[in-house]
Amino acid sequence: MSRVYPFDDVSTARAVIDDDGTLVEWNEGASRLLGHPAEAVLGRPAAQLLAEEDPTALPTGSRWDGTVALRHRDGRTVPVWLLAHRRPPRDGHGGSWLVVTPLPGTEPPEEDDPLAAAGLIQSPCAVAVYDARLRLRRMNDAMAEAIGLPEERLRGLRLAEIGGKPQSEELEQGLLQVLTTGSPMDLQTYARIGAEDRAHAWLARMAPVRDAQGRVRGVCLAMHDVTDNYRARQRLQLVNEASVRVGSTLDVTRTAQELAEVCVPALADFVTIDLLDPQDYGGEPPARITAPLTLRRAAHHSVLPGVPEAVLKPGQTADYPAGSPQADSLTAGHTIIASVAAGEMRSWLTWSSVRGARVRRFGIHSSMSVPVRARGLTLGVALFTRHRRPDPYTADDRLLAEEITTRAAVCIDNARRYSRERETALALQRSLLPRMLPRTAALEASSRYLPAARTGVGGDWFDVIPLSGMRVAMVVGDVVGHGVEASATMGRLRTAVRTLADIDLAPDELLTHLDDLVVRLSEESGAGAGPGEAGSPGEVGATCVYAVYDPVSRRCTVARAGHPPPVVLRPGVAPQALDVPAGPPLGLGGLPFESTEVELPEGTVLALYTDGLVWSSRERDPETSREMLYEALGTYSNSLDGTCDRVLRSLLPPGGSADDVALLLARTQGLPAAQVATWDIPADPALVGPIRKQVVEQLDAWGLSEVAFTAELVVSELVTNAIRYGSHPIRLRLIHDETTLICEVSDTSHTAPHLRRAKIFDEGGRGLLLVAQLTQRWGSRHTPEGKTIWAELSLFEADQ
């Protein structure tokens, strides 16, 4: 059989008065006390019940007690001791006052009362005993001191009526459970008891009180102040939370914001993080701080929406003179705690009128400025302030703030160092990458480079290199690793590729020479090697794809070293990966590379990229990314820049790729046959004259008569050298576009020509010197059949 709830309204006179002084509640006990029925007083001013009516007689503060002369229904005056609790607005209703007083009949217990025996009047622990109706029967001196009222005033009241707070109701429910079950229980609560100005953490231990027959006659409540343990747990929890939440990224601003957020409201109501700008001190924070100083607002956070306490916005700077908490703590090198009550914030209120107004407006009463220091460097200052919490900062708060700030300072310094290295690497990377791609008659090109979102700048690179004979080389590579070292290695490899391309090596031969260079770089790095030992091969690694396109033959030769194959999009055909032998990554040494030659119709788009593009998302496998790449390339767009942007938007996640990305798109352009002329050269030097005449006629047909004289001389010298020193068959080819005329003479000899200085009486030796003086540039390249000597004449110079 369940116990009936023991509360009865007739043992307590209870009334509720609205903020405007109107009676809104009136119980039976109040009617018994003063004789007025509820319907006679509800909705009327409570001041009418006073023997001497006073409309302004509402109490002040959060709790009030005292004896008041009240008017009885029969006209007599009744002096009544009242206990009043201020209740805040809730559930859409305004604030009110709960007014209670015990009714006669709650006399002191008899000597043999078991409830009296459980009083423990002399115990230092706050103890109270409640009867079977859960009304106060006895309490000891410690409990009376905690509540702030004597036992004789409170005897007969319920715990919720004595406390008047939500926590009191929770404790009363615990008393009821102990009363009904007969089993003891413990509850923890955090509240102000009585007239305390600060809340305390309490452990409430409740146990049944039994008579000689074992029947439950009431409940004993013992309250233990565990505030120190509670705050110690809070501090430990805050430190643990800070360890998890602060430093989740390598971004200085975000790390500072995490520090501010983790401290509100656990440690402060308003937090600002202001950092020194290293650029003001030559790139590194200063070893010694002097006032005045300039700080940049990195982050702030508040318990109030919109952070209205802040004077600065994140990113703005301000000067802090001596006397400000920020400057004083930084120059002193330690934490400074100040409060309005102690007069320590007076200088803060005077040095900045705007800040002083904010202090007064929001009631900021305590501040704690903590230097942000890591690895012996001062990075800035964290300012903690309170205006909602009434308690000032303590020594324990100082230790907690310094512990959290020190942990955050290391994260901020890590982010700062990472940002500086990333900016350096990015600047190096951008200086080494081509600022703009050369315009050639062979192809139209567009490119993109994006550094990694998290790991920073890597060693991805791309290049477009004009070659002889209107041909053009395209290269995309990826150096293993990130940071300045990877960018520097990338720069060395890009320079090497340009040098090797300048001597017109075939793609597979170029990769072989590049592989040897990477092996040497790895040996020179000596990474991980002991004293006197060379670095082992493989410590510097890279991948690369190299392609050469000839607009005359419309053929492209491609070789790759451990790199993703190019994607080719022929007109009217779906995109597909070019079938190129994979080849080993650069740096393994001694392994061969193979090249593939394919025909590319005019208008074909060739896509070369690094693996960061297809490994950009952990949630997506590379095969799916490749399909997305094919789809993005297959969507028609006349603009290569637009296609580049579409590819990056389609494949890269919103936060950026986990690796850096290089993308090079090239649309091939064929050279019309009408712009190429070819002659087979006979072995007789006497027949060079007719060849010169045919060349002049061809130039006249092209409208290039202005360069006919120079071209005739160059052709004569190159053809004569080939007949004298080369091997048959010999072929002459002229190629021209809008800006350049190219003369090429090919033979089957593998002996390369070279310039030499002829003496005064030498009959020969001046031919190539003459060619070098008359042309924009000249050179030779090896072919599978032999070699080709070429020379370029600028048509612009002829017009001038």
Side-chain angles (χ1 to χ4, degrees), residues 478 511 542-545 559-565 580-586 588 593 609 611:
D478 184 0
L511 291 182
T543 65
C544 182
V545 58
R560 62 188 180 112
H563 203 85
V580 182
L586 300 175
L588 297 183
F593 298 93
Y609 59 93
D611 57 6

Short mmCIF file of all heavy atoms in Angstrom, two decimals, residues 478 511 542-545 559-565 580-586 588 593 609 611:
data_model
loop_
_atom_site.label_atom_id
_atom_site.label_comp_id
_atom_site.label_asym_id
_atom_site.label_seq_id
_atom_site.Cartn_x
_atom_site.Cartn_y
_atom_site.Cartn_z
N ASP A 478 55.11 15.82 -58.75
CA ASP A 478 54.71 15.83 -57.34
C ASP A 478 55.88 15.31 -56.51
O ASP A 478 56.27 14.15 -56.64
CB ASP A 478 53.47 14.97 -57.14
CG ASP A 478 52.95 15.02 -55.71
OD1 ASP A 478 53.55 15.74 -54.88
OD2 ASP A 478 51.95 14.35 -55.42
N LEU A 511 63.05 11.50 -68.32
CA LEU A 511 62.71 10.93 -67.01
C LEU A 511 63.87 10.12 -66.45
O LEU A 511 64.08 10.07 -65.23
CB LEU A 511 61.46 10.07 -67.12
CG LEU A 511 60.15 10.82 -67.40
CD1 LEU A 511 58.98 9.85 -67.42
CD2 LEU A 511 59.91 11.90 -66.35
N ALA A 542 59.70 11.48 -55.89
CA ALA A 542 58.81 12.32 -56.68
C ALA A 542 58.18 11.48 -57.77
O ALA A 542 58.65 10.37 -58.10
CB ALA A 542 59.57 13.50 -57.29
N THR A 543 57.08 11.98 -58.32
CA THR A 543 56.45 11.39 -59.49
C THR A 543 56.36 12.47 -60.55
O THR A 543 56.40 13.67 -60.24
CB THR A 543 55.06 10.84 -59.18
OG1 THR A 543 54.20 11.93 -58.80
CG2 THR A 543 55.11 9.82 -58.06
N CYS A 544 56.21 12.06 -61.82
CA CYS A 544 56.22 13.05 -62.89
C CYS A 544 55.58 12.44 -64.14
O CYS A 544 55.69 11.23 -64.39
CB CYS A 544 57.65 13.49 -63.19
SG CYS A 544 57.80 14.75 -64.46
N VAL A 545 54.91 13.29 -64.93
CA VAL A 545 54.44 12.91 -66.26
C VAL A 545 54.92 14.00 -67.21
O VAL A 545 54.82 15.20 -66.91
CB VAL A 545 52.90 12.75 -66.30
CG1 VAL A 545 52.20 14.02 -65.87
CG2 VAL A 545 52.45 12.32 -67.68
N ALA A 559 55.48 10.06 -71.40
CA ALA A 559 56.09 9.09 -70.48
C ALA A 559 55.77 9.54 -69.06
O ALA A 559 55.63 10.74 -68.79
CB ALA A 559 57.59 8.99 -70.71
N ARG A 560 55.68 8.59 -68.16
CA ARG A 560 55.37 8.95 -66.77
C ARG A 560 56.19 8.10 -65.80
O ARG A 560 56.57 6.97 -66.11
CB ARG A 560 53.88 8.81 -66.46
CG ARG A 560 53.31 7.41 -66.59
CD ARG A 560 51.78 7.46 -66.46
NE ARG A 560 51.15 6.15 -66.59
CZ ARG A 560 50.54 5.51 -65.61
NH1 ARG A 560 50.48 6.07 -64.39
NH2 ARG A 560 49.98 4.33 -65.80
N ALA A 561 56.43 8.68 -64.63
CA ALA A 561 57.21 8.02 -63.58
C ALA A 561 56.35 7.94 -62.32
O ALA A 561 56.35 8.88 -61.51
CB ALA A 561 58.51 8.78 -63.32
N GLY A 562 55.61 6.86 -62.18
CA GLY A 562 54.78 6.67 -61.00
C GLY A 562 53.66 7.66 -60.85
O GLY A 562 53.12 7.83 -59.75
N HIS A 563 53.29 8.36 -61.89
CA HIS A 563 52.31 9.44 -61.84
C HIS A 563 51.00 9.00 -62.49
O HIS A 563 51.00 8.13 -63.36
CB HIS A 563 52.87 10.66 -62.60
CG HIS A 563 52.27 11.96 -62.18
ND1 HIS A 563 52.72 12.69 -61.11
CD2 HIS A 563 51.22 12.65 -62.69
CE1 HIS A 563 51.99 13.79 -60.98
NE2 HIS A 563 51.06 13.78 -61.94
N PRO A 564 49.86 9.60 -62.07
CA PRO A 564 48.60 9.27 -62.74
C PRO A 564 48.68 9.58 -64.23
O PRO A 564 49.27 10.60 -64.63
CB PRO A 564 47.57 10.18 -62.04
CG PRO A 564 48.17 10.50 -60.72
CD PRO A 564 49.65 10.52 -60.94
N PRO A 565 48.10 8.72 -65.08
CA PRO A 565 48.17 8.97 -66.52
C PRO A 565 47.32 10.18 -66.91
O PRO A 565 46.33 10.49 -66.26
CB PRO A 565 47.61 7.68 -67.12
CG PRO A 565 46.69 7.15 -66.06
CD PRO A 565 47.33 7.51 -64.75
N VAL A 580 49.47 4.81 -70.88
CA VAL A 580 50.90 5.09 -70.82
C VAL A 580 51.52 4.16 -69.78
O VAL A 580 51.00 4.06 -68.66
CB VAL A 580 51.18 6.56 -70.44
CG1 VAL A 580 52.68 6.84 -70.45
CG2 VAL A 580 50.45 7.50 -71.38
N PRO A 581 52.60 3.45 -70.10
CA PRO A 581 53.25 2.60 -69.09
C PRO A 581 53.57 3.40 -67.83
O PRO A 581 54.05 4.55 -67.92
CB PRO A 581 54.54 2.13 -69.79
CG PRO A 581 54.20 2.20 -71.26
CD PRO A 581 53.27 3.36 -71.42
N ALA A 582 53.28 2.80 -66.67
CA ALA A 582 53.36 3.55 -65.42
C ALA A 582 54.77 4.05 -65.13
O ALA A 582 54.99 5.21 -64.81
CB ALA A 582 52.86 2.69 -64.26
N GLY A 583 55.75 3.22 -65.23
CA GLY A 583 57.11 3.60 -64.88
C GLY A 583 57.27 3.72 -63.38
O GLY A 583 56.31 4.01 -62.66
N PRO A 584 58.48 3.52 -62.85
CA PRO A 584 58.70 3.64 -61.40
C PRO A 584 58.74 5.10 -60.97
O PRO A 584 59.04 5.98 -61.78
CB PRO A 584 60.06 2.97 -61.20
CG PRO A 584 60.78 3.22 -62.50
CD PRO A 584 59.72 3.17 -63.57
N PRO A 585 58.44 5.40 -59.70
CA PRO A 585 58.60 6.77 -59.21
C PRO A 585 60.07 7.20 -59.30
O PRO A 585 60.99 6.37 -59.29
CB PRO A 585 58.14 6.68 -57.75
CG PRO A 585 57.29 5.45 -57.68
CD PRO A 585 57.86 4.50 -58.68
N LEU A 586 60.29 8.49 -59.38
CA LEU A 586 61.65 9.03 -59.45
C LEU A 586 62.36 8.82 -58.11
O LEU A 586 61.77 8.99 -57.05
CB LEU A 586 61.61 10.52 -59.78
CG LEU A 586 60.94 10.90 -61.11
CD1 LEU A 586 60.86 12.41 -61.24
CD2 LEU A 586 61.70 10.31 -62.29
N LEU A 588 64.14 5.87 -57.38
CA LEU A 588 64.50 4.45 -57.14
C LEU A 588 65.80 4.10 -57.84
O LEU A 588 66.59 3.32 -57.33
CB LEU A 588 63.37 3.54 -57.62
CG LEU A 588 62.02 3.71 -56.90
CD1 LEU A 588 61.01 2.71 -57.41
CD2 LEU A 588 62.19 3.56 -55.40
N PHE A 593 62.20 3.59 -68.23
CA PHE A 593 60.94 4.27 -68.49
C PHE A 593 60.56 4.05 -69.95
O PHE A 593 61.43 3.95 -70.82
CB PHE A 593 61.07 5.78 -68.21
CG PHE A 593 61.40 6.10 -66.79
CD1 PHE A 593 62.73 6.27 -66.39
CD2 PHE A 593 60.41 6.22 -65.83
CE1 PHE A 593 63.04 6.56 -65.07
CE2 PHE A 593 60.73 6.51 -64.51
CZ PHE A 593 62.04 6.68 -64.13
N TYR A 609 47.45 16.03 -64.07
CA TYR A 609 47.11 16.42 -62.71
C TYR A 609 47.93 15.60 -61.71
O TYR A 609 48.51 14.56 -62.07
CB TYR A 609 45.61 16.21 -62.45
CG TYR A 609 45.16 14.78 -62.65
CD1 TYR A 609 45.12 13.88 -61.58
CD2 TYR A 609 44.80 14.31 -63.91
CE1 TYR A 609 44.72 12.57 -61.75
CE2 TYR A 609 44.40 13.00 -64.10
CZ TYR A 609 44.35 12.13 -63.03
OH TYR A 609 43.96 10.83 -63.21
N ASP A 611 48.02 13.50 -57.87
CA ASP A 611 47.08 12.59 -57.24
C ASP A 611 46.25 13.23 -56.13
O ASP A 611 45.28 12.66 -55.67
CB ASP A 611 47.80 11.34 -56.70
CG ASP A 611 48.91 11.70 -55.72
OD1 ASP A 611 49.04 12.88 -55.37
OD2 ASP A 611 49.64 10.77 -55.31
#
